[in-house]
Amino acid sequence: MADSGDPEGAGPKDGIVQAKNEGREMTKEEKQRLRKEKKQQKKSKEKKDDKGSQDGGKEKKQSSSDPPSAQPTTHTNTQKAPSAVPAPVPVPAPETAAPADKPAKSKGELKAERRARQEAERASKQGKKGDGGQQAATGKPKAPPSELQPVVKRLPEHVQVDNPEVLRKLAKKLERQQIPLRSDYGYKVSLFSHLHQYSRKAPLTQQLGIPSTVIHPVIVRLGLQYSQGIVAGSNARSVALLHAFKQVIRDYTTPPNEELSRDLVNKLKPYISFLNQCRPLSASMGNAIKYIKKEISNIPSQCKEEEAKRKLLNCIECYINEKIVLAAKAIAKYSIEKISDGDVILVYGCSSLVNHILCEAFEKDRKFRVIVVDSRPRLEGREALRRLVQRGISCTYVLISAVSYILPEVSKVFLGAHALLANGYVMSRVGTSQIALVAKTFNVPVLVCCETYKFCERVQTDSFVSNELDDPDDLIVTRKGKTQLEHWQEVPLLGLLNLVYDVTPPDFVDLVITDLGMIPCTSVPVVLRVKNVDQ
Amino acid sequence: MELQAVLMAAGGGSRMTDLTYNTPKPMLPVGNKPLMWYPLNLLERVGFEEVIVITTKEVQKMMTTDPKMKLDVKMKLDVVCIQEDGDMGTADALRHIHQKIKTDILVVSCDLITDVALHEVVDLFRAHNATLAMLMSKAHEFTETVPGQKGKKKTAEQRDFVGVDQSGKRLLFMANEADLEDGLSIRKSIMRKHPRMLIKTGLVDAHLYCLKKAVVDFLADNKSISSIRGELVPYMVRKQFSKSTTNQTIKDDAEEHNEKKNEGSTNHELIISSRDESLIQLAQERSCWNDHRGDMSEAYHGGKLRCYVHIMDQGLCYRVNTLAAYIDANRLAPKLFDEPAVHPSAVISERCQMGSDSIFGALCQVAEKTSIKRSTIGNSTTVKEKVKVTNSIIMHGVTIEEGCNIQGSVICSNAVIGRGADLKYCLVGNGQRIEPGAERTNEVIVGTDQLMEI
């Protein structure tokens, strides 16, 4: 960023003023500086307006209202904490008004301004040192450091469904990519009206042509399998996605005058939008896509197409092997140390990793029994039950409503995760946080098993902000020939809510077993940082 | 490419010879459009751009001259001609075009008139990675009186027994009454895997199949199968549960291709495999989904060969292979489209009483004091004064002289109905002349050369 300190700022400013007055052609630099000044003025004006309404609002970056060019030198950490520094704020305020009437100023006044600004800077620096502890990793996308206004938080589209602007943008983007827009279904509970809610009976393929030409058939098949739930579970979805991408890469030919590294990434974008429309992407899928895009962009331009394709296919194979298959083996190895003979282990739902661990432990002749907790409407526990019983593990099956009755028997709780967030929260199937809470009350250790490729840089402290709404008709059940909720849409004040995920705070989780070892929940940001450095 | 469409238009219409002895079945007019236009329109609406049409030379000639086909069908038609002798079954035809088939295929019969949402069938094919996906519909009773039928309608033709699983999508059992000598027997292995099976008999097979390419390759090697519906489909449905397909080992795709080439003898098996089989397996293992519950087996019971069926309960689905079906189709098919009932080039006098559900073809001339109700008038037909036509189908180029009364009949192309004739529930063959003043009821009037030789 511009390291030009203030001293420079004043000089050229004079020059600009001079040039304006003399009607001279401004040089390029002068024009740039002029533009910058104008931006500052706008921001300062806005800041003044906001100050009136917001009083010490935590969200506002109360960084010193110095001109943007000076700020980067003071702020090293762009992930700001609301370090409110009230003292220097009023001082620069009248100053920010000053640049507005720049042309009328004299040289002396400008110098005074500069000095005052520098004072403010210094004061804010000191204030900042005091508030150093307030650096919470917000995880929001980097706000530009030149902040004289509230942070423009760029929220992802999928949590802004009730904003018609965002919907329009999405519709335009999909139209450009020639992908049909899936429309929401049914009445949404008001607390979750910012999320999409689709019906399984209205698949996206209704609006696609047969045979699909815009979207590769393998991707169409994958999208269908996602939306119908045939491929469900974080690992399965990622593996299926990578498999589909392998097919796409195999069938891909570089058009003339295009580079593979850029064109292939552009080809993948509409496919990813399509899959997102079929079912919102999971964190693991997001990481896999990031990895692939990076690999593709890193292909040197002189590489021949065949070789490039081979390399990419190889990369995908390695990724799956390392991050999923071998990671599962490593996690199983660590977990087996934690399972002792005579244990009663509680699992929830159907986590492929947890099932794998239990099967491995059973093969290594550990003596334990399992309690499978299940919940409606998915009833995934039945599938977990089947897999465990097939191996010969003795199991008990309860529904989640009985968890507090069964917990006194339990010695450990093993939970799978959909994603691990950067603030240590565990995002998993809805009901997991309940289990963790009850287990904590009973002082039963809770161990979460999660591969590192599911770690994501998002931060969430509640399950409302970002979640997934499944088809509300899944909640309708027919017992003894009667379907009570059959006409739920006609009851005006009734809404059916079928949440898919929830977040568990790190206080309830005792240990996270990853392929890097066994770490406490709060070490997740460390892992993320190390991963980023590696890559 | 995902799917290639194949239209089977070489059928002879063996169950309605009175209509088809001069006009081949694919070109019979239904609602003034040739019969094969309907499946082609369905494919075009859904998004196909190319269709392979398997037909006879005669039909190909007629196709090129027919105005509707030329103008309305925008897809590229790749016409493959085969001999007309009728010995070639549908599977034989597929074998014939084996070289053109590069991906999975969608086989449609030319006599299918339907408004099904095709994505329902294809979605089953895609989502479950099925080997076969087909369309069936609840059979409708034919309400119209069929000309030339003497006595009661024949009691049930050979019924089809279709067994589906609880969800109603997976095809477990298919047999025709003719093949079941002693009774319906179901293998224990099927019952063990699918303890709840629904057996339906009132279904009509729409002859719309999505087949994997491996099936076409299999057909190419197995010359004994000649009909898709009669032999291939029951064979595949049975093969779902045979031991050899459930215990397929996963081989590397490169190896497998080499082995297939070297061992020619093993090609009699229907081998379903794909590249990266191990990845698909991994994804399926890690997925917490199962298509059934209650037993210890994994999804699909580990079987690779899967057959699915989509059963339509609402909507139109007709197979025009009998006279009754033809008449019903003529009644209902025009409702599928919003086209105007009267063709712009038809010349209809003002004093003609037209019913709202009558259709008039191009260049037809209807004189005054006529009454046309619930009928279809073909292209270039001439209807003179004081004619009363009710509930009938008049094909192209027919001339109806004054004072005729035609009720519930089918008049084929180029026929001439003499003055004052009274026809009730008759079928007048191609080019026939009805003498003036004739009174016929419930007769089939065809020329002597069309009578079967004994």
Side-chain angles (χ1 to χ4, degrees):
Chain A
M1 293 277 300
D3 282 325
S4 58
D6 261 62
E8 258 177 61
K13 235 202 302 210
D14 291 350
I16 291 173
V17 169
Q18 256 183 332
K20 260 195 175 168
N21 293 339
E22 292 171 22
R24 224 190 325 142
E25 259 287 307
M26 285 192 268
T27 64
K28 203 172 169 188
E29 290 91 0
E30 285 168 337
K31 282 192 190 151
Q32 268 182 358
R33 256 176 232 121
L34 189 58
R35 254 182 261 137
K36 247 198 234 165
E37 299 283 3
K38 286 207 178 127
K39 247 205 262 182
Q40 290 170 32
Q41 290 171 32
K42 244 206 297 186
K43 280 185 187 145
S44 67
K45 270 203 206 126
E46 278 185 51
K47 177 166 197 232
K48 266 207 301 176
D49 294 358
D50 288 333
K51 250 227 243 150
S53 49
Q54 285 183 31
D55 209 20
K58 287 246 165 195
E59 296 178 348
K60 214 165 37 144
K61 296 269 181 308
Q62 302 252 350
S63 40
S64 71
S65 43
D66 284 341
S69 48
Q71 287 210 332
T73 55
T74 61
H75 289 265
T76 46
N77 189 357
T78 53
Q79 296 193 341
K80 294 191 189 48
S83 48
V85 188
V89 168
V91 172
E95 309 234 305
T96 54
D101 19 294
K102 182 181 27 151
K105 285 262 175 30
S106 72
K107 208 169 180 175
E109 278 177 72
L110 287 168
K111 271 204 185 132
E113 255 180 71
R114 226 190 317 132
R115 227 174 284 129
R117 248 181 262 133
Q118 283 173 339
E119 307 276 67
E121 230 183 281
R122 237 173 276 133
S124 74
K125 233 198 239 173
Q126 290 175 349
K128 199 154 187 288
K129 278 201 195 122
D131 293 348
Q134 282 190 26
Q135 301 294 329
T138 54
K140 287 282 183 259
K142 290 201 182 88
S146 56
E147 271 314 285
L148 297 174
Q149 66 198 28
V151 177
V152 174
K153 293 196 173 70
R154 276 183 286 119
L155 290 169
E157 170 278 323
H158 69 269
V159 299
Q160 284 190 291
V161 174
D162 51 355
N163 185 347
E165 251 310 308
V166 173
L167 281 181
R168 242 175 297 158
K169 261 197 222 151
L170 172 69
K172 254 194 265 183
K173 172 176 131 193
L174 289 178
E175 210 183 300
R176 221 182 337 120
Q177 295 174 330
Q178 291 175 293
I179 294 184
L181 175 70
R182 198 171 182 191
S183 43
D184 283 0
Y185 166 76
Y187 170 73
K188 284 191 261 189
V189 171
S190 57
L191 211 51
F192 292 94
S193 57
H194 60 286
L195 299 169
H196 281 296
Q197 182 172 278
Y198 300 126
S199 166
R200 220 180 296 273
K201 291 199 217 79
L204 203 50
T205 47
Q206 243 172 356
Q207 302 157 46
L208 279 179
I210 306 165
S212 68
T213 40
V214 174
I215 305 173
H216 196 284
V218 158
I219 302 279
V220 177
R221 170 181 302 164
L222 188 64
L224 265 178
Q225 288 178 331
Y226 282 165
S227 63
Q228 291 181 6
I230 295 176
V231 175
S234 197
N235 282 336
R237 290 212 276 164
S238 307
V239 172
L241 176 73
L242 290 170
H243 166 252
F245 277 175
K246 274 181 95 174
Q247 307 273 71
V248 169
I249 291 175
R250 266 201 210 103
D251 294 339
Y252 170 78
T253 45
T254 326
N257 306 332
E258 293 277 357
E259 265 193 41
L260 183 136
S261 56
R262 249 166 277 154
D263 189 58
L264 186 53
V265 177
N266 286 340
K267 275 259 165 29
L268 290 181
K269 281 202 186 124
Y271 299 163
I272 296 168
S273 299
F274 174 75
L275 292 176
N276 205 4
Q277 286 286 301
C278 290
R279 193 177 161 192
L281 297 179
S282 67
S284 55
M285 286 165 71
N287 287 342
I289 291 172
K290 251 188 254 173
Y291 173 77
I292 292 200
K293 280 192 179 166
K294 192 171 73 82
E295 286 297 311
I296 296 177
S297 335
N298 284 347
I299 296 219
S301 44
Q302 57 265 38
C303 200
K304 284 215 191 82
E305 189 179 313
E306 281 310 312
E307 202 191 311
K309 283 209 248 187
R310 215 171 3 100
K311 220 200 283 184
L312 284 174
L313 294 175
N314 207 18
C315 279
I316 295 182
E317 285 273 328
C318 284
Y319 187 83
I320 295 178
N321 205 23
E322 280 171 32
K323 307 276 179 174
I324 302 179
V325 178
L326 289 179
K329 284 210 184 96
I331 294 175
K333 194 167 71 82
Y334 289 125
S335 319
I336 289 175
E337 298 166 25
K338 290 288 175 190
I339 300 178
S340 30
D341 285 347
D343 259 347
V344 180
I345 299 178
L346 187 130
V347 299
Y348 177 63
C350 184
S351 164
S352 55
L353 190 53
V354 173
N355 291 343
H356 182 250
I357 291 170
L358 294 176
C359 295
E360 290 279 305
F362 192 72
E363 271 174 36
K364 298 255 176 1
D365 294 325
R366 291 278 196 277
K367 306 270 176 292
F368 59 92
R369 67 184 180 92
V370 176
I371 299 181
V372 180
V373 178
D374 201 6
S375 73
R376 274 199 69 227
R378 285 180 175 237
L379 291 171
E380 289 171 334
R382 295 186 183 184
E383 184 57 24
L385 187 66
R386 175 189 78 76
R387 288 176 198 202
L388 295 173
V389 171
Q390 203 184 22
R391 295 298 196 105
I393 305 174
S394 46
C395 300
T396 311
Y397 176 87
V398 292
L399 287 181
I400 193 168
S401 37
V403 102
S404 52
Y405 292 104
I406 204 99
L407 255 167
E409 296 180 17
V410 173
S411 63
K412 290 189 183 72
V413 176
F414 270 82
L415 298 174
H418 169 87
L420 233 56
L421 306 174
N423 57 348
Y425 278 65
V426 178
M427 180 182 230
S428 185
R429 184 69 78 221
V430 66
T432 316
S433 60
Q434 270 302 83
I435 306 244
L437 170 66
V438 182
K440 183 87 183 159
T441 325
F442 280 86
N443 282 326
V444 172
V446 173
L447 293 88
V448 168
C449 310
C450 181
E451 300 97 332
T452 46
Y453 87 108
K454 288 186 194 160
F455 285 17
C456 104
E457 277 160 8
R458 236 173 42 201
V459 167
Q460 242 181 279
T461 52
D462 59 51
S463 320
F464 298 97
V465 162
S466 174
N467 208 322
E468 187 186 328
L469 293 179
D470 208 357
D471 190 350
D473 290 339
D474 284 350
L475 293 174
I476 301 175
V477 70
T478 308
R479 291 214 174 92
K480 293 190 192 163
K482 283 210 280 221
T483 316
Q484 306 286 14
L485 286 173
E486 197 165 10
H487 305 287
W488 69 274
Q489 306 240 37
E490 294 158 25
V491 181
L493 295 173
L494 181 63
L496 293 187
L497 179 65
N498 192 353
L499 277 181
V500 181
Y501 299 116
D502 71 5
V503 284
T504 310
D507 330 335
F508 297 156
V509 176
D510 294 303
L511 193 64
V512 176
I513 308 179
T514 70
D515 40 325
L516 293 176
M518 300 194 262
I519 58 174
C521 232
T522 43
S523 304
V524 170
V526 177
V527 171
L528 278 172
R529 194 155 32 95
V530 168
K531 239 189 352 163
N532 285 339
V533 167
D534 277 345
Q535 290 176 349
Chain B
M1 235 216 306
E2 189 182 0
L3 278 179
Q4 271 177 292
V6 177
L7 181 70
M8 299 284 186
S14 49
R15 277 185 269 186
M16 37 188 207
T17 43
D18 306 320
L19 288 174
T20 57
Y21 65 79
N22 214 340
T23 327
K25 184 170 84 160
M27 297 307 287
L28 275 180
V30 173
N32 287 336
K33 304 188 186 68
L35 182 56
M36 67 192 288
W37 181 85
Y38 288 90
L40 283 175
N41 183 265
L42 172 71
L43 292 174
E44 190 170 346
R45 260 186 297 133
V46 157
F48 276 96
E49 282 165 20
E50 290 187 4
V51 183
I52 301 175
V53 180
I54 302 181
T55 182
T56 59
K57 280 214 165 46
E58 203 184 327
V59 174
Q60 184 181 28
K61 242 188 306 175
M62 290 183 76
M63 263 168 61
T64 45
T65 52
D66 188 289
K68 190 81 186 174
M69 296 285 287
K70 270 209 305 236
L71 295 172
D72 267 7
V73 177
K74 306 269 187 327
M75 304 184 287
K76 181 161 99 67
L77 297 179
D78 181 6
V79 183
V80 174
C81 291
I82 58 169
Q83 297 294 47
E84 206 192 305
D85 49 14
D87 269 355
M88 222 183 195
T90 39
D92 295 325
L94 275 186
R95 205 174 295 129
H96 186 77
I97 55 166
H98 177 228
Q99 298 302 322
K100 289 184 191 259
I101 309 274
K102 308 265 177 300
T103 81
D104 304 337
I105 56 174
L106 175 67
V107 181
V108 191
S109 167
C110 66
D111 53 11
L112 177 67
I113 299 182
T114 179
D115 62 351
V116 71
L118 206 54
H119 74 90
E120 307 245 4
V121 179
V122 183
D123 277 353
L124 282 175
F125 184 67
R126 289 163 171 157
H128 297 276
N129 211 0
T131 320
L132 161 74
M134 55 190 284
L135 175 67
M136 287 192 140
S137 165
K138 293 235 163 75
H140 306 272
E141 280 298 316
F142 297 130
T143 48
E144 307 280 339
T145 330
V146 179
Q149 217 162 47
K150 299 184 181 355
K152 243 178 26 173
K153 212 159 92 157
K154 316 194 280 256
T155 47
E157 303 184 350
Q158 302 290 317
R159 287 180 295 178
D160 272 327
F161 290 91
V162 179
V164 290
D165 76 340
Q166 246 180 309
S167 67
K169 298 276 173 205
R170 180 92 188 260
L171 194 53
L172 302 175
F173 179 78
M174 174 166 307
N176 191 282
E177 200 171 344
D179 301 327
L180 303 171
E181 309 281 319
D182 304 327
L184 197 119
S185 57
I186 300 182
R187 302 225 306 256
K188 230 204 283 192
S189 60
I190 306 180
M191 292 303 310
R192 240 183 265 128
K193 290 181 183 164
H194 298 271
R196 293 199 184 198
M197 195 191 308
L198 296 163
I199 301 198
K200 305 185 183 220
T201 51
L203 294 178
V204 83
D205 185 344
H207 275 227
L208 190 142
Y209 308 106
C210 283
L211 293 168
K212 264 208 155 65
K213 181 166 184 309
V215 177
V216 183
D217 296 337
F218 166 73
L219 276 182
D221 295 320
N222 273 298
K223 306 221 191 301
S224 56
I225 298 184
S226 72
S227 155
I228 297 182
R229 175 65 178 86
E231 292 166 48
L232 183 63
V233 172
Y235 172 78
M236 291 211 301
V237 172
R238 275 199 312 272
K239 208 93 181 94
Q240 286 179 101
F241 303 105
S242 81
K243 284 210 172 58
S244 52
T245 50
T246 48
N247 294 341
Q248 268 184 345
T249 52
I250 305 159
K251 293 202 197 106
D252 195 65
D253 43 321
E255 275 180 45
E256 195 161 322
H257 284 293
N258 288 337
E259 285 196 31
K260 269 212 310 204
K261 281 193 198 117
N262 297 338
E263 309 172 19
S265 57
T266 57
N267 282 340
H268 287 296
E269 283 299 312
L270 187 53
I271 303 171
I272 313 288
S273 67
S274 46
R275 311 183 79 151
D276 294 322
E277 189 71 37
S278 56
L279 272 189
I280 301 182
Q281 272 295 95
L282 182 63
Q284 209 173 352
E285 263 175 53
R286 296 305 180 105
S287 170
C288 52
W289 176 83
N290 206 324
D291 66 328
H292 65 278
R293 63 175 184 87
D295 66 354
M296 283 293 179
S297 26
E298 50 184 356
Y300 307 126
H301 299 277
K304 300 242 184 307
L305 217 179
R306 306 187 267 275
C307 300
Y308 283 84
V309 62
H310 173 67
I311 302 181
M312 273 173 80
D313 40 358
Q314 291 166 342
L316 204 67
C317 180
Y318 277 106
R319 283 211 56 231
V320 179
N321 52 2
T322 59
L323 192 51
Y326 178 75
I327 294 176
D328 256 29
N330 255 293
R331 202 70 61 225
L332 294 167
K335 297 204 171 60
L336 278 181
F337 307 103
D338 280 329
E339 285 179 10
V342 180
H343 197 274
S345 65
V347 176
I348 306 192
S349 80
E350 286 121 21
R351 291 177 60 192
C352 161
Q353 278 183 3
M354 281 191 328
S356 55
D357 38 2
S358 299
I359 306 168
F360 294 84
L363 298 173
C364 69
Q365 290 174 346
V366 180
E368 36 188 79
K369 296 210 201 130
T370 47
S371 159
I372 319 266
K373 294 210 169 65
R374 291 192 84 220
S375 301
T376 313
I377 311 287
N379 300 334
S380 311
T381 22
T382 316
V383 180
K384 299 265 168 67
E385 292 88 3
K386 299 203 200 117
V387 168
K388 197 155 156 236
V389 181
T390 330
N391 252 349
S392 302
I393 302 168
I394 318 284
M395 293 199 203
H396 309 307
V398 171
T399 312
I400 305 183
E401 304 284 348
E402 296 100 15
C404 289
N405 184 354
I406 303 180
Q407 198 179 345
S409 305
V410 178
I411 317 285
C412 294
S413 311
N414 301 319
V416 178
I417 314 291
R419 207 172 279 168
D422 186 359
L423 299 171
K424 286 197 181 55
Y425 305 113
C426 290
L427 188 142
V428 179
N430 223 301
Q432 294 302 306
R433 297 186 60 93
I434 306 290
E435 61 277 8
E439 275 190 27
R440 308 287 183 100
T441 313
N442 214 357
E443 277 185 44
V444 174
I445 303 154
V446 293
T448 43
D449 51 334
Q450 270 72 33
L451 292 174
M452 280 199 301
E453 292 178 354
I454 302 173

PDB file of all heavy atoms in Angstrom, chain B residues 376-388:
ATOM      1  N   THR B 376     -62.128 -35.386 -37.440  1.00  0.00           N
ATOM      2  CA  THR B 376     -60.870 -34.881 -37.991  1.00  0.00           C
ATOM      3  C   THR B 376     -60.970 -34.951 -39.493  1.00  0.00           C
ATOM      4  O   THR B 376     -61.210 -36.028 -40.047  1.00  0.00           O
ATOM      5  CB  THR B 376     -59.699 -35.762 -37.541  1.00  0.00           C
ATOM      6  OG1 THR B 376     -59.808 -35.983 -36.141  1.00  0.00           O
ATOM      7  CG2 THR B 376     -58.384 -35.112 -37.833  1.00  0.00           C
ATOM      8  N   ILE B 377     -60.787 -33.822 -40.126  1.00  0.00           N
ATOM      9  CA  ILE B 377     -60.820 -33.792 -41.591  1.00  0.00           C
ATOM     10  C   ILE B 377     -59.385 -33.584 -42.067  1.00  0.00           C
ATOM     11  O   ILE B 377     -58.724 -32.646 -41.661  1.00  0.00           O
ATOM     12  CB  ILE B 377     -61.683 -32.618 -42.111  1.00  0.00           C
ATOM     13  CG1 ILE B 377     -63.026 -32.590 -41.389  1.00  0.00           C
ATOM     14  CG2 ILE B 377     -61.853 -32.726 -43.606  1.00  0.00           C
ATOM     15  CD1 ILE B 377     -63.976 -33.678 -41.792  1.00  0.00           C
ATOM     16  N   GLY B 378     -58.961 -34.462 -42.949  1.00  0.00           N
ATOM     17  CA  GLY B 378     -57.555 -34.423 -43.354  1.00  0.00           C
ATOM     18  C   GLY B 378     -57.248 -33.344 -44.378  1.00  0.00           C
ATOM     19  O   GLY B 378     -58.113 -32.561 -44.770  1.00  0.00           O
ATOM     20  N   ASN B 379     -56.008 -33.335 -44.802  1.00  0.00           N
ATOM     21  CA  ASN B 379     -55.588 -32.344 -45.781  1.00  0.00           C
ATOM     22  C   ASN B 379     -56.220 -32.634 -47.135  1.00  0.00           C
ATOM     23  O   ASN B 379     -56.419 -33.789 -47.503  1.00  0.00           O
ATOM     24  CB  ASN B 379     -54.063 -32.381 -45.952  1.00  0.00           C
ATOM     25  CG  ASN B 379     -53.374 -32.090 -44.641  1.00  0.00           C
ATOM     26  OD1 ASN B 379     -53.931 -31.437 -43.787  1.00  0.00           O
ATOM     27  ND2 ASN B 379     -52.174 -32.612 -44.492  1.00  0.00           N
ATOM     28  N   SER B 380     -56.481 -31.594 -47.845  1.00  0.00           N
ATOM     29  CA  SER B 380     -56.962 -31.710 -49.230  1.00  0.00           C
ATOM     30  C   SER B 380     -58.218 -32.551 -49.371  1.00  0.00           C
ATOM     31  O   SER B 380     -58.450 -33.161 -50.405  1.00  0.00           O
ATOM     32  CB  SER B 380     -55.882 -32.325 -50.136  1.00  0.00           C
ATOM     33  OG  SER B 380     -54.675 -31.669 -49.946  1.00  0.00           O
ATOM     34  N   THR B 381     -59.033 -32.582 -48.354  1.00  0.00           N
ATOM     35  CA  THR B 381     -60.291 -33.329 -48.519  1.00  0.00           C
ATOM     36  C   THR B 381     -61.375 -32.381 -48.997  1.00  0.00           C
ATOM     37  O   THR B 381     -61.339 -31.193 -48.735  1.00  0.00           O
ATOM     38  CB  THR B 381     -60.783 -33.923 -47.194  1.00  0.00           C
ATOM     39  OG1 THR B 381     -60.212 -33.208 -46.141  1.00  0.00           O
ATOM     40  CG2 THR B 381     -60.430 -35.371 -47.077  1.00  0.00           C
ATOM     41  N   THR B 382     -62.340 -32.977 -49.694  1.00  0.00           N
ATOM     42  CA  THR B 382     -63.449 -32.180 -50.170  1.00  0.00           C
ATOM     43  C   THR B 382     -64.719 -32.728 -49.565  1.00  0.00           C
ATOM     44  O   THR B 382     -64.991 -33.926 -49.672  1.00  0.00           O
ATOM     45  CB  THR B 382     -63.553 -32.281 -51.707  1.00  0.00           C
ATOM     46  OG1 THR B 382     -62.237 -32.155 -52.246  1.00  0.00           O
ATOM     47  CG2 THR B 382     -64.425 -31.185 -52.249  1.00  0.00           C
ATOM     48  N   VAL B 383     -65.437 -31.874 -48.921  1.00  0.00           N
ATOM     49  CA  VAL B 383     -66.713 -32.294 -48.340  1.00  0.00           C
ATOM     50  C   VAL B 383     -67.781 -31.453 -49.009  1.00  0.00           C
ATOM     51  O   VAL B 383     -67.772 -30.219 -48.920  1.00  0.00           O
ATOM     52  CB  VAL B 383     -66.721 -32.060 -46.818  1.00  0.00           C
ATOM     53  CG1 VAL B 383     -68.045 -32.495 -46.236  1.00  0.00           C
ATOM     54  CG2 VAL B 383     -65.574 -32.805 -46.159  1.00  0.00           C
ATOM     55  N   LYS B 384     -68.706 -32.143 -49.680  1.00  0.00           N
ATOM     56  CA  LYS B 384     -69.709 -31.398 -50.421  1.00  0.00           C
ATOM     57  C   LYS B 384     -70.876 -31.048 -49.505  1.00  0.00           C
ATOM     58  O   LYS B 384     -70.839 -31.310 -48.309  1.00  0.00           O
ATOM     59  CB  LYS B 384     -70.180 -32.238 -51.610  1.00  0.00           C
ATOM     60  CG  LYS B 384     -69.062 -32.582 -52.593  1.00  0.00           C
ATOM     61  CD  LYS B 384     -69.020 -31.577 -53.726  1.00  0.00           C
ATOM     62  CE  LYS B 384     -67.746 -31.725 -54.555  1.00  0.00           C
ATOM     63  NZ  LYS B 384     -67.686 -32.974 -55.288  1.00  0.00           N
ATOM     64  N   GLU B 385     -71.975 -30.493 -50.108  1.00  0.00           N
ATOM     65  CA  GLU B 385     -73.070 -29.994 -49.285  1.00  0.00           C
ATOM     66  C   GLU B 385     -73.827 -31.082 -48.569  1.00  0.00           C
ATOM     67  O   GLU B 385     -73.826 -32.232 -48.957  1.00  0.00           O
ATOM     68  CB  GLU B 385     -74.101 -29.232 -50.142  1.00  0.00           C
ATOM     69  CG  GLU B 385     -73.620 -27.942 -50.720  1.00  0.00           C
ATOM     70  CD  GLU B 385     -72.957 -28.173 -52.051  1.00  0.00           C
ATOM     71  OE1 GLU B 385     -72.948 -29.328 -52.506  1.00  0.00           O
ATOM     72  OE2 GLU B 385     -72.436 -27.218 -52.620  1.00  0.00           O
ATOM     73  N   LYS B 386     -74.496 -30.639 -47.537  1.00  0.00           N
ATOM     74  CA  LYS B 386     -75.442 -31.463 -46.781  1.00  0.00           C
ATOM     75  C   LYS B 386     -74.846 -32.762 -46.277  1.00  0.00           C
ATOM     76  O   LYS B 386     -75.507 -33.775 -46.170  1.00  0.00           O
ATOM     77  CB  LYS B 386     -76.661 -31.819 -47.670  1.00  0.00           C
ATOM     78  CG  LYS B 386     -77.422 -30.615 -48.133  1.00  0.00           C
ATOM     79  CD  LYS B 386     -78.836 -30.976 -48.499  1.00  0.00           C
ATOM     80  CE  LYS B 386     -79.409 -29.899 -49.390  1.00  0.00           C
ATOM     81  NZ  LYS B 386     -79.762 -30.337 -50.701  1.00  0.00           N
ATOM     82  N   VAL B 387     -73.581 -32.698 -45.951  1.00  0.00           N
ATOM     83  CA  VAL B 387     -72.936 -33.894 -45.418  1.00  0.00           C
ATOM     84  C   VAL B 387     -72.916 -33.784 -43.912  1.00  0.00           C
ATOM     85  O   VAL B 387     -72.718 -32.715 -43.346  1.00  0.00           O
ATOM     86  CB  VAL B 387     -71.501 -34.007 -45.952  1.00  0.00           C
ATOM     87  CG1 VAL B 387     -70.728 -35.066 -45.205  1.00  0.00           C
ATOM     88  CG2 VAL B 387     -71.523 -34.313 -47.432  1.00  0.00           C
ATOM     89  N   LYS B 388     -73.142 -34.905 -43.281  1.00  0.00           N
ATOM     90  CA  LYS B 388     -73.101 -34.925 -41.816  1.00  0.00           C
ATOM     91  C   LYS B 388     -71.997 -35.882 -41.396  1.00  0.00           C
ATOM     92  O   LYS B 388     -72.056 -37.077 -41.676  1.00  0.00           O
ATOM     93  CB  LYS B 388     -74.451 -35.410 -41.305  1.00  0.00           C
ATOM     94  CG  LYS B 388     -74.666 -35.108 -39.874  1.00  0.00           C
ATOM     95  CD  LYS B 388     -76.157 -35.036 -39.554  1.00  0.00           C
ATOM     96  CE  LYS B 388     -76.318 -35.314 -38.072  1.00  0.00           C
ATOM     97  NZ  LYS B 388     -77.174 -36.368 -37.704  1.00  0.00           N
TER      98      LYS B 388
END
